[in-house]
Amino acid sequence: MPNKKKTKKEAAAQKKSNALLLPLYLFTIIFVFAPLVYMIILSFLQKAEIWGVKNVFTLENYRRILEPLYLGTFTESLKLAFLSTAAIILIGYPYGYFMARMSERWKKRMMMLLMIPFWTSALIRLNGWIIVFRSNGVLDKLLMGLHLTDKPLKLLYSYEAVLVGMIYALLPFMILSVYSSAEKMDWSLVEAARDLGAGRVKAFVSVTLKMTLPGLLSGVILTFIPSMGLFFIADLLGGNKVVLVGNVIQEQLTKGRNLPFAAALSVVLMVLTSLIIAFYRRVAHTKELEGMFV
Amino acid sequence: MSDTLLELKNLTKSFGENGVLKGINLKVEQGEFVTLLGSSGCGKTTTLRIIAGLEEPDSGQVILNQKDITALEPNLRDVNTVFQNYALFPYMNVEQNIGYGLKIRKVPKAEIQKRVKEMLEIVQLQGFEKRKPDELSGGQRQRVAIARAIINSPRVLLLDEPLGALDLKLRRQMQLELKKLQKKLGITFIYITHDQEEAINMSDRIAVMRNGVFEQIGTPNEIYYHPKTSYVADFVGNANVIHLDDKTYAVRSENVLMDGEAECIYYAVVEEKSFAGGQLRIVFRLQDGQLVTASRYGIDAQIRVGETRNIGWHKNDAVEVLDNAE
């Protein structure tokens, strides 16, 4: 009998906590779930003559994505996303790692350095890169001044410029998430590994890397997803030479006034990124289970 | 001595302005159980870390098996550590944790499995192979940490307050087990604790440490019955430190006599009376103001706070010590 009483009480408590969670659920439904459903529905409808949609079911939007032009954009975007993510890992991981090992005073300073750029708009910061990259811009002048090259390099409006822009824009997210997991790390684990016979490299791979993997992974997610869709970076630094999925979506929405096709592109992009993230998770997870990193 | 396995020669270490070790000398024999005993901040953990190679001394030498290992990387030393917080790898299960050292040394898999099984038997954790550290109790984690260290058959095992996080009952039980294990394996143990009872129970020799130096090194008996300094007398034996005629004596509380016996030559007022752990403690104030504590088994209703008694002690029970209290 007392058991039943307890469960009753527990049920009441459960109800109460459910009620408290209600705003969260509502928020998620209104701002995440509903738009998503709306977008998916849109992607199966026909474009109206001038603006809006006709309520006619069609698969045409998805078929159109398979055209070489759009498929090419997807592969291009993926390539750029992989490249920029790889570069961001290479720069961001050591940065976050060493930042976590600094004294409290230096941690604060490095954090400050990381935060200052966020005080201005991303668009303005990207315009800074234009000044650096453009013909006879800062970089050209520097290289010519050092006699490394004798004519302007036409760096702006190139794939490389977009890549640099992506890395620049997304690097802080990697640094911060690596830093936060390295910061929480129990360094005595590394000492234990060293004590048990691991050299510096082995201790790093078998302990530090494993312990900071969650941070690294969330950094990858935070950089990979946006780099598929940050259209304004490709716009500003790539001109019309680099067209990413984000640019196509934006163009279809504004100039093309084709809501259904933009929605279809978005759905495919979302599915693609979800799959890739699931794959990342999988890789990290199975390795963890088998302790393969040693 | 040819049996000397580990020798610390004049080790010094400072962190910034802070002198943590001020010349440490110690010789440890093969198979010995030596305890570094001291309160927190006395430098005992730093000493251990220097032996393990996790810290470098400013000067001095660490000699293991007649070889100077002062500058040797920790992974190349024949020494393993049981860390204070155990430092078990959270993402590995018990088996993987214990086998880590062998895996690093590329010992064949079958051999690792066999040795891990032996270790699990020694520390009595059969059946826990697949558990993760966070699925174990404090005492079990501690056993894993010990197994993970001794599987590498180190010449010296360093233990940094390994029982500090356990409750009293478990601690007592583990003290006995550790001592048994040490005898069985024949490995030299260097053990750190701030608990004098633990030190006395387990050690062959105790090095009492204070402010970065060893105050006294000796067997538990020597330390307990023949303290050299007032600090050792107080810290290890909880003895009374009494100043008489420009000399300082240590008198253990159970040796303080009351009334009747020939040695009871001091008038003393009962200041305080308390009963704890089966022992009655009576604090007396001598006429010159010094406090002396006496202890007795059982309770004694006859003693009342405020009354005057005659107290004293046998001459043999008063050990002359160097006064170095702070």
Side-chain angles (χ1 to χ4, degrees):
Chain A
M1 274 300 115
N3 208 5
K4 206 168 190 182
K5 241 184 196 166
K6 202 181 163 194
T7 50
K8 235 181 191 174
K9 224 180 190 175
E10 273 171 12
Q14 187 72 44
K15 241 181 192 169
K16 210 173 179 182
S17 73
N18 278 349
L20 284 173
L21 282 173
L22 197 66
L24 185 72
Y25 288 139
L26 274 178
F27 185 91
T28 317
I29 288 169
I30 295 172
F31 293 106
V32 180
F33 192 65
L36 203 64
V37 172
Y38 176 62
M39 189 178 80
I40 292 170
I41 293 172
L42 263 186
S43 71
F44 288 107
L45 298 178
Q46 259 180 25
K47 172 185 182 295
E49 298 303 317
I50 301 171
W51 175 247
V53 289
K54 271 196 281 192
N55 288 330
V56 182
F57 177 83
T58 175
L59 289 172
E60 169 63 19
N61 300 315
Y62 286 99
R63 196 203 54 75
R64 212 174 139 197
I65 292 174
L66 296 176
E67 285 172 15
L69 176 67
Y70 297 111
L71 268 186
T73 331
F74 268 101
T75 49
E76 190 81 337
S77 296
L78 275 175
K79 207 175 101 193
L80 187 78
F82 274 118
L83 268 177
S84 56
T85 305
I88 286 167
I89 292 173
L90 285 179
I91 307 167
Y93 187 89
Y95 193 114
Y97 170 86
F98 285 114
M99 200 167 130
R101 303 232 60 178
M102 285 172 174
S103 67
E104 286 306 315
R105 222 167 114 197
W106 274 100
K107 271 181 199 169
K108 274 187 197 139
R109 285 179 190 168
M110 297 300 279
M111 189 62 89
M112 198 68 180
L113 281 177
L114 213 55
M115 285 300 143
I116 286 172
F118 282 101
W119 294 352
T120 50
S121 144
L123 283 172
I124 293 173
R125 280 182 280 137
L126 281 169
N127 271 298
W129 280 108
I130 293 179
I131 297 171
V132 173
F133 280 137
R134 70 164 181 235
S135 263
N136 283 313
V138 177
L139 196 58
D140 272 347
K141 284 209 174 110
L142 187 72
L143 291 176
M144 287 192 286
L146 291 170
H147 299 288
L148 292 171
T149 170
D150 48 6
K151 57 175 187 282
L153 285 172
K154 291 187 182 158
L155 292 162
L156 192 58
Y157 305 130
S158 69
Y159 192 81
E160 289 73 22
V162 178
L163 187 63
V164 170
M166 287 284 182
I167 294 168
Y168 169 76
L170 298 170
L171 186 60
F173 299 106
M174 175 63 76
I175 294 174
L176 287 176
S177 63
V178 169
Y179 168 76
S180 74
S181 72
E183 162 89 317
K184 271 185 296 198
M185 201 180 119
D186 177 2
W187 294 102
S188 72
L189 293 178
V190 179
E191 290 187 340
R194 300 275 283 132
D195 185 76
L196 291 166
R200 279 170 207 279
V201 176
K202 218 156 207 174
F204 175 80
V205 174
S206 69
V207 178
T208 314
L209 199 57
K210 288 236 72 159
M211 295 301 285
T212 51
L213 199 61
L216 182 65
L217 268 180
S218 66
V220 164
I221 289 168
L222 283 174
T223 53
F224 187 83
I225 299 177
S227 66
M228 293 282 288
L230 279 179
F231 60 86
F232 61 89
I233 293 179
D235 264 357
L236 286 173
L237 300 176
N240 53 6
K241 281 204 190 118
V242 183
V243 180
L244 304 178
V245 182
N247 300 82
V248 180
I249 294 172
Q250 185 237 2
E251 237 165 61
Q252 289 298 327
L253 261 178
T254 53
K255 288 182 208 145
R257 292 179 186 174
N258 193 340
L259 258 67
F261 187 49
L265 284 165
S266 305
V267 170
V268 172
L269 180 63
M270 225 170 57
V271 170
L272 212 63
T273 39
S274 308
L275 282 177
I276 289 161
I277 287 160
F279 175 72
Y280 278 143
R281 281 248 166 90
R282 183 85 201 221
V283 169
H285 202 65
T286 48
K287 273 190 180 165
E288 193 175 315
L289 282 179
E290 293 166 15
M292 273 174 44
F293 262 151
V294 175
Chain B
M1 237 190 297
S2 59
D3 280 6
T4 302
L5 176 66
L6 177 75
E7 188 176 357
L8 307 182
K9 273 189 184 165
N10 232 341
L11 290 179
T12 65
K13 176 79 185 173
S14 321
F15 293 112
E17 302 279 286
N18 238 339
V20 178
L21 296 185
K22 300 163 188 160
I24 290 286
N25 288 290
L26 181 68
K27 278 184 181 176
V28 180
E29 283 173 38
Q30 167 60 41
E32 223 184 346
F33 193 127
V34 174
T35 298
L36 308 186
L37 175 66
S39 52
S40 67
C42 71
K44 55 193 194 300
T45 297
T46 306
T47 309
L48 205 71
R49 289 172 61 83
I50 288 175
I51 302 172
L54 300 170
E55 210 88 66
E56 222 176 301
D58 297 339
S59 69
Q61 287 172 298
V62 181
I63 292 159
L64 180 68
N65 216 10
Q66 274 117 42
K67 259 185 281 172
D68 187 338
I69 60 164
T70 317
L72 204 63
E73 294 277 305
N75 49 317
L76 303 176
R77 297 184 183 202
D78 236 358
V79 168
N80 285 117
T81 308
V82 176
F83 289 83
Q84 192 169 10
N85 63 353
Y86 313 144
L88 299 179
F89 305 120
Y91 46 88
M92 290 184 195
N93 62 29
V94 168
E95 211 172 31
Q96 291 165 334
N97 261 291
I98 297 177
Y100 182 86
L102 298 183
K103 196 168 179 184
I104 286 287
R105 291 196 182 82
K106 302 210 165 72
V107 174
K109 242 184 178 164
E111 170 78 9
I112 296 180
Q113 265 176 350
K114 201 184 112 213
R115 296 276 299 278
V116 168
K117 219 174 150 201
E118 282 170 23
M119 287 303 136
L120 285 167
E121 214 164 289
I122 288 176
V123 297
Q124 290 163 32
L125 277 177
Q126 299 105 312
F128 289 89
E129 290 85 350
K130 302 296 175 203
R131 297 258 195 116
K132 291 275 175 72
D134 60 2
E135 297 163 340
L136 299 174
S137 71
Q140 289 165 342
R141 270 181 230 174
Q142 218 257 310
R143 287 156 199 260
V144 176
I146 291 169
R148 185 180 68 172
I150 59 177
I151 198 171
N152 307 297
S153 330
R155 299 300 301 262
V156 180
L157 186 68
L158 308 171
L159 302 102
D160 188 359
E161 304 214 22
L163 308 181
L166 306 180
D167 61 58
L168 190 65
K169 203 176 153 204
L170 192 57
R171 203 152 73 212
R172 294 236 165 96
Q173 185 197 332
M174 285 302 295
Q175 282 175 18
L176 295 174
E177 280 186 28
L178 267 179
K179 182 71 197 165
K180 251 196 257 170
L181 187 69
Q182 191 255 344
K183 279 239 170 82
K184 189 169 153 193
L185 297 170
I187 298 177
T188 305
F189 273 35
I190 296 183
Y191 190 98
I192 281 188
T193 184
H194 61 264
D195 182 342
Q196 71 275 33
E197 199 180 291
E198 208 167 280
I200 289 168
N201 267 341
M202 304 172 79
S203 322
D204 295 325
R205 278 194 303 152
I206 299 173
V208 182
M209 205 169 177
R210 182 199 190 194
N211 293 336
V213 291
F214 288 139
E215 289 251 317
Q216 187 174 354
I217 303 173
T219 64
N221 266 338
E222 285 166 1
I223 302 274
Y224 193 77
Y225 291 112
H226 305 286
K228 279 192 183 146
T229 67
S230 60
Y231 177 79
V232 173
D234 179 46
F235 188 74
V236 183
N238 270 322
N240 292 295
V241 174
I242 302 165
H243 304 275
L244 293 169
D245 317 322
D246 295 333
K247 284 181 179 165
T248 306
Y249 298 94
V251 183
R252 311 196 45 71
S253 62
E254 67 264 26
N255 293 332
V256 175
L257 306 169
M258 261 185 301
D259 297 326
E261 293 195 55
E263 288 87 355
C264 293
I265 52 171
Y266 305 102
Y267 284 113
V269 181
V270 179
E271 279 266 317
E272 211 183 293
K273 196 176 120 180
S274 63
F275 184 73
Q279 270 199 328
L280 182 69
R281 281 166 42 88
I282 311 140
V283 181
F284 292 100
R285 184 179 290 279
L286 296 180
Q287 278 176 318
D288 62 2
Q290 291 188 71
L291 296 178
V292 177
T293 304
S295 60
R296 292 285 178 278
Y297 282 100
I299 41 176
D300 188 342
Q302 306 229 317
I303 299 166
R304 273 183 230 103
V305 173
E307 67 183 4
T308 306
R309 293 281 179 128
N310 289 319
I311 63 167
W313 39 84
H314 292 297
K315 219 173 182 174
N316 292 342
D317 291 334
V319 181
E320 194 182 339
V321 295
L322 178 74
D323 181 27
N324 64 352
E326 284 185 335

